[in-house]
């Protein structure tokens, strides 16, 4: 599948691929297509006028650190060619390790990462110190409950809708499907971040963006499972 859905097709710019395939081709089973439609989709997305630059570092939810590192080096080079430009960087898979490039990018750009979908404490996979500059997102339901598959814990920063969400499908240019996962919750936060990016950039401090999003989030509303409290 192409991964280019009518939700945002003309706003997908040339990107990076770990192999010779088109960077815009979604080989992740539709996860990247769906996540992009939540973040920037023209009909169902949040930041509906934004562009997306795809960075394809693998074709599964398990990506090696070396492949991620090469992709992030490309992102660094791309951003360094536009001094002063700031970006929201969305990963559509959870981290089991953090590479140096990701931490460097997090110093000047907002990196949004899904907490993962193993129904367990995210801190069992990565330490809070490793992701302190990033926005780690767990998934909630439409009734403000913890999604049953979402990871949780102090290594996550925020909860966002990620269960039974309507997203663009990758089978053709117009399909819509219903899916669940923290990748889609992270995409929602990325969309909100993009909406606020211009405002924060004009204030001269992109580092404030994570704090702005956290301060605007609704507090003490989610019903958590006993293990997540």
């Amino acid at each position: 599948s192409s991964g280019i859905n009518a939700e945002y097709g003309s706003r997908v710019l040339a990107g990076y691929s770990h192999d010779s395939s088109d960077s815009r081709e979604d080989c992740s089973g539709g996860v990247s297509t769906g996540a992009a439609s939540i973040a920037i989709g023209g009909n169902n997305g949040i930041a509906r006028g934004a562009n997306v630059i795809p960075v394809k570092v693998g074709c599964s939810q398990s990506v090696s650190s070396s492949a991620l590192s090469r992709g992030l080096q490309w992102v660094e080079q791309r951003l360094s060619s536009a001094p002063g430009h700031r970006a929201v960087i969305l990963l559509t898979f959870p981290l089991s390790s953090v590479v140096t490039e990701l931490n460097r990018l997090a110093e000047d750009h907002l990196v949004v990462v899904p907490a993962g979908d193993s129904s367990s404490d995210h801190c069992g996979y990565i330490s809070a110190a490793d992701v302190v500059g990033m926005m780690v997102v767990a998934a909630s339901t439409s009734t403000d409950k913890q999604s049953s598959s979402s990871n949780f814990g102090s290594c996550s920063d925020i909860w966002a809708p990620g269960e039974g969400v309507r997203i663009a499908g990758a089978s053709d240019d117009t399909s819509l499907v219903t899916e669940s996962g923290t990748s889609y919750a992270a995409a929602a936060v990325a969309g909100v971040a993009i909406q606020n990016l211009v405002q924060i950039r004009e204030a001269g401090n992109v580092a404030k963006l994570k704090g702005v999003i956290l301060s605007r989030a609704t507090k003490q509303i989610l019903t958590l499972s006993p293990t997540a409290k």
Side-chain angles (χ1 to χ4, degrees):
S1 65
S2 70
I4 305 303
N5 192 281
E7 276 280 300
Y8 51 80
S10 64
R11 291 180 284 118
V12 179
L13 308 182
Y16 166 89
S17 178
H18 68 291
D19 55 22
S20 58
S21 63
D22 187 338
S23 64
R24 299 170 299 171
E25 179 185 358
D26 186 352
C27 63
S28 66
V31 175
S32 298
T33 298
S37 73
I38 293 170
I40 69 157
N43 295 315
N44 299 299
I46 297 172
R48 299 183 180 185
N51 295 327
V52 61
I53 301 174
V55 179
K56 186 163 65 174
V57 295
C59 289
S60 72
Q61 289 294 84
S62 178
V63 177
S64 69
S65 294
S66 59
L68 178 57
S69 178
R70 288 190 294 272
L72 291 173
Q73 287 173 18
W74 182 89
V75 173
E76 284 188 294
Q77 293 170 358
R78 172 73 181 247
L79 291 173
S80 67
S81 68
H85 182 79
R86 296 294 179 262
V88 174
I89 301 167
L90 169 65
L91 272 66
T92 57
F93 51 88
L95 290 172
S96 57
S97 62
V98 176
V99 295
T100 302
E101 292 84 1
L102 197 57
N103 281 318
R104 282 204 301 265
L105 285 166
E107 293 177 2
D108 295 312
H109 311 277
L110 185 67
V111 178
V112 184
V113 184
D117 302 280
S118 303
S119 305
S120 57
D121 191 335
H122 188 224
C123 293
Y125 302 91
I126 203 163
S127 73
D130 286 334
V131 292
V132 66
M134 305 173 207
M135 181 76 79
V136 182
V137 187
S140 62
T141 71
S142 60
T143 56
D144 293 321
K145 294 181 174 61
Q146 174 187 341
S147 176
S148 60
S149 62
S150 177
N151 287 352
F152 50 82
S154 60
C155 291
S156 299
D157 296 297
I158 195 170
W159 298 79
E163 184 169 301
V165 292
R166 198 72 169 156
I167 60 173
S171 60
D172 58 55
D173 289 346
T174 58
S175 63
L176 293 173
V177 297
T178 300
E179 296 287 352
S180 300
T182 55
S183 295
Y184 307 121
V189 172
V192 172
I194 293 167
Q195 285 185 316
N196 286 276
L197 185 60
V198 173
Q199 174 187 345
I200 300 300
R201 184 169 56 212
E202 289 175 350
N205 190 347
V206 171
K208 291 180 179 178
L209 185 53
K210 179 177 178 179
V212 167
I213 294 172
L214 291 176
S215 69
R216 293 178 179 175
T218 304
K219 309 293 193 299
Q220 306 297 324
I221 194 174
L222 205 67
T223 301
L224 301 176
S225 69
T227 54
K229 294 179 179 178

